[in-house]
């Protein structure tokens, strides 16, 4: 059903994701409604297609249904004031949606912090422009959203994080990312090479880590910048 969720507008795309039970929470649907996907793709005519799309430099923006699955899975850890790491942040789309979940507009609620990390500096600069064009310049200015160039497999030293999203497939589970999860915390990460699956990695309040396979997927590899740019 996921591939039937394409729409002609952002609102229609989100409605179709809800109709097909990929989106199940109002919080996630409302956050996605605040982020116009057309600001984060190269071809605006394909912005609301439920499919992955190239964003240059060997990178892609995931299909909307996969972003929806990730957000719904991480939702218990996406609260006002939460800190989130978005690995392979690419165009900045998911970082924007995450921002609306952890930094709601209500001034009485605490602001969270999104750290988007990508190893392609050109994508990082592009993502900042995309976020600004989507009305999030203030969030970049006040540090609610931070976009950095770096190796996401190593995480980022501003952790630990309540939630970690990984937007490319790692050959094995990166221990550095597990270490940067809060206790409790959750990571959504595709793992594998030829046969890939999304793993839900949970760390409980005592620091115990459990792993659960959620679904089979096909993502681009989580690799270094040189291999990515030359086509893996």
């Amino acid at each position: 059903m996921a591939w039937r969720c394409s729409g002609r507008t952002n609102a229609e795309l989100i409605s179709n994701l809800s109709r097909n039970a990929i989106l199940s929470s109002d919080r996630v649907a409302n956050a996605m409604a605040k982020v116009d996907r057309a600001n984060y793709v190269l071809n605006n005519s394909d912005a609301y297609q439920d499919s992955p799309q190239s964003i240059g430099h060997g990178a892609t923006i995931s299909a909307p249904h996969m972003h929806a699955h990730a957000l719904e899975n991480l939702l218990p850890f996406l609260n006002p004031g939460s800190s989130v790491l978005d690995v392979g942040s690419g165009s900045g789309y998911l970082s924007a949606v995450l921002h609306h979940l952890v930094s709601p507009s209500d001034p009485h609620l605490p602001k969270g912090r999104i750290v988007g990390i990508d190893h392609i500096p050109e994508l990082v600069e592009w993502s900042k422009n995309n976020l600004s064009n989507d009305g999030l310049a203030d969030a970049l200015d006040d540090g609610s959203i931070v976009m950095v160039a770096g190796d996401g497999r190593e995480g980022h030293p501003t952790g630990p994080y309540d939630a970690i999203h990984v937007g490319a497939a790692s050959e094995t589970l990166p221990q550095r990312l597990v270490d940067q999860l809060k206790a409790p915390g959750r990571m959504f990460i595709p793992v594998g090479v030829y046969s890939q699956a999304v793993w839900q990695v949970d760390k409980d309040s005592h620091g115990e880590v459990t792993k659960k396979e959620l679904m089979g997927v096909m993502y681009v590899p989580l690799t270094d910048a040189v291999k990515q740019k030359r086509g893996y």
Side-chain angles (χ1 to χ4, degrees):
M1 298 297 288
W3 300 94
R4 304 178 190 177
C5 296
S6 298
R8 291 165 295 181
T9 65
N10 204 52
E12 187 174 305
L13 169 64
I14 293 163
S15 176
N16 289 339
L17 289 167
S18 297
R19 180 170 54 82
N20 285 298
I22 297 167
L23 284 175
S24 57
S25 67
D26 289 342
R27 283 189 65 214
V28 173
N30 290 338
M32 289 184 73
K34 293 176 181 177
V35 181
D36 190 341
R37 201 165 182 266
N39 288 320
Y40 299 89
V41 297
L42 292 177
N43 187 348
N44 285 356
S45 65
D46 294 332
Y48 311 118
Q49 296 300 304
D50 191 17
S51 61
Q53 296 169 37
S54 171
I55 54 173
H57 307 282
T60 61
I61 179 173
S62 294
H65 73 269
M66 285 309 306
H67 280 150
H69 279 306
L71 292 163
E72 291 285 357
N73 178 261
L74 294 172
L75 188 59
F77 299 86
L78 302 177
N79 300 303
S82 292
S83 179
V84 184
L85 179 65
D86 183 17
V87 176
S89 49
S91 70
Y93 172 81
L94 195 67
S95 293
V97 181
L98 289 165
H99 165 77
H100 289 297
L101 286 165
V102 305
S103 295
S105 56
D106 187 339
H108 298 99
L109 295 174
K111 284 188 176 182
R113 188 166 188 258
I114 306 301
V115 177
I117 185 167
D118 200 288
H119 55 200
I120 306 295
E122 296 92 334
L123 284 179
V124 174
E125 291 308 308
W126 183 53
S127 71
K128 292 177 183 178
N129 289 333
N130 296 341
L131 290 159
S132 293
N133 292 336
D134 204 30
L136 293 174
D138 288 346
L140 288 167
D141 289 341
D142 69 17
S144 300
I145 302 177
V146 178
M147 308 302 284
V148 298
D151 189 342
R153 297 170 296 185
E154 300 295 316
H156 192 264
T158 55
Y161 301 96
D162 297 278
I164 297 176
H165 167 265
V166 182
S170 177
E171 290 188 13
T172 59
L173 183 63
Q175 186 60 45
R176 293 293 294 272
L177 294 181
V178 176
D179 293 342
Q180 290 186 25
L181 272 179
K182 283 186 182 178
R186 175 174 292 177
M187 176 162 49
F188 181 98
I189 178 172
V191 178
V193 181
Y194 302 108
S195 176
Q196 300 175 3
V198 169
W199 289 11
Q200 171 185 309
V201 180
D202 285 315
K203 183 182 287 187
D204 68 18
S205 58
H206 303 291
E208 293 294 322
V209 176
T210 57
K211 307 162 194 173
K212 176 183 177 182
E213 262 191 38
L214 300 180
M215 68 191 86
V217 291
M218 184 57 67
Y219 274 70
V220 297
L222 184 67
T223 185
D224 59 62
V226 173
K227 288 181 181 178
Q228 180 173 315
K229 284 192 170 186
R230 72 183 185 206
Y232 310 103

